[in-house]
Amino acid sequence: MKILGLESSCDETAAAVVEDGRKVLSNAIYSQIAKHRPYGGVVPEIASRNHVVKLPGIIEEALKSAGETYDSIDAIAVTYGPGLASSLLIGYSAAKTLALRLNKPLIGVNHHEGHLHSVFMKEGAPEEGDVFPLLGLLVSGGDSSLILMKGPGQYEILGRTIDDAAGEALDKAAAILNLGYPGGPVIQKTAEGGNSDAIRFPRGLDNVDRGKWIYKYDRDLCFSFSGLKTSLLTHVKNLDHEPEGDELRDIAASYQEAVADALASRVERALERFEVKSFSCAGGVSLNKVLREKLTALSEKTGIPLLLCPPSLCTDNAAMIAGAAYEKIRLGKTGEKLQDVNPNLRLTDW
Ligand code: KG4
């Protein structure tokens, strides 16, 4: 089965054709990063206007490079949340129009489900029977969560960030250090050769005695990155100069270490507490080298296999949306007729 997927939840305009949920026949992406860079973050109005302009061409490109046509695809999949409302609506309207016009099924996909599915979309990825229950670490620009998946489409959130997402923490740090946008790649590059022990930045929620815990998740499986960002800001303000050279490298390396350590330590705790057959990491921040190294070391230590998504599918893309949609069709869980987008969509069981 060949599915045309569309993704427009934030600042990537994307379309892809995927066969049987795993084989990526095409993966066309127009990244709007350059348009948003002058503002240091995504501007919703600019994002949605660019989706309007770019989506038709990106769909054509995805079909052409897959060697498919509107007639030869079997279904249309689209991200319907979470994300920016005005951006989601562009992909949704296009997908709905195509589905009606072509008389093909329309499947709505949760963006986070797409990220979680992306780890299966590479050659040699294990079969489902071998991976569940699975512990998923989802780390993107907008979310950081630890999810226990007992099977495909079964989600139990074990912990999440109570403030900023990991990607957001990196983006904000890069802004504080005047390194540009997006922060993850530029912090990683700046950190090269730096001493990650130079500054001990906080890991968030380390101090269990402080403050009343009001969230429904276990505190030690949750993340907090806002204190880390404030700590960097204070550190930089206390310097009487703008950091550069080795000093800048050390700051970036120490900050990156704090983010990766905070993430990996929660994964380690969850692996101790829940019996799983595998664990995974997906989303834009899963591209991070230090995080990958820490998780790989954890896999070697515990003997639990680690699934990482291929670099081309870590940041936002439509292949993961088409892939996740196939799973829904395969398991007969396509849900109710898709009527609208949901910017605050949560992960729930199918
Ligand atoms: O998954 P994604 O494309 O967006 C959302 O779905 O939200 O992730 C974007 C995030 C950004 O915050 C970006 O700074 C981060 O992924 N990122 C990285 C790296 N490359 C992108 N973070 C750490 N290291 C990287 N190499």
Side-chain angles (χ1 to χ4, degrees), residues 132-176:
F132 294 110
L134 174 151
L135 175 75
L137 173 67
L138 177 65
V139 273
S140 63
D143 194 48
S144 298
S145 301
L146 261 183
I147 300 140
L148 182 64
M149 289 180 72
K150 294 208 174 112
Q154 295 174 36
Y155 307 106
E156 185 190 339
I157 311 284
L158 301 178
R160 60 169 14 130
T161 178
I162 60 164
D163 40 56
D164 293 348
E168 209 176 342
L170 290 157
D171 293 339
K172 287 178 177 171
I176 292 169

Side-chain angles (χ1 to χ4, degrees), residues 9-12 111-112 115 139-143 166-171 181-186 188 256 282-289 314-317 320:
S9 65
C10 192
D11 61 340
E12 264 89 24
H111 181 78
H112 292 161
H115 276 305
V139 273
S140 63
D143 194 48
E168 209 176 342
L170 290 157
D171 293 339
Y181 171 84
V186 78
Q188 178 172 307
Q256 173 177 247
V285 181
S286 73
L287 276 171
N288 188 260
K289 202 170 149 265
C314 285
T315 50
D316 290 352
N317 65 86
M320 66 183 194

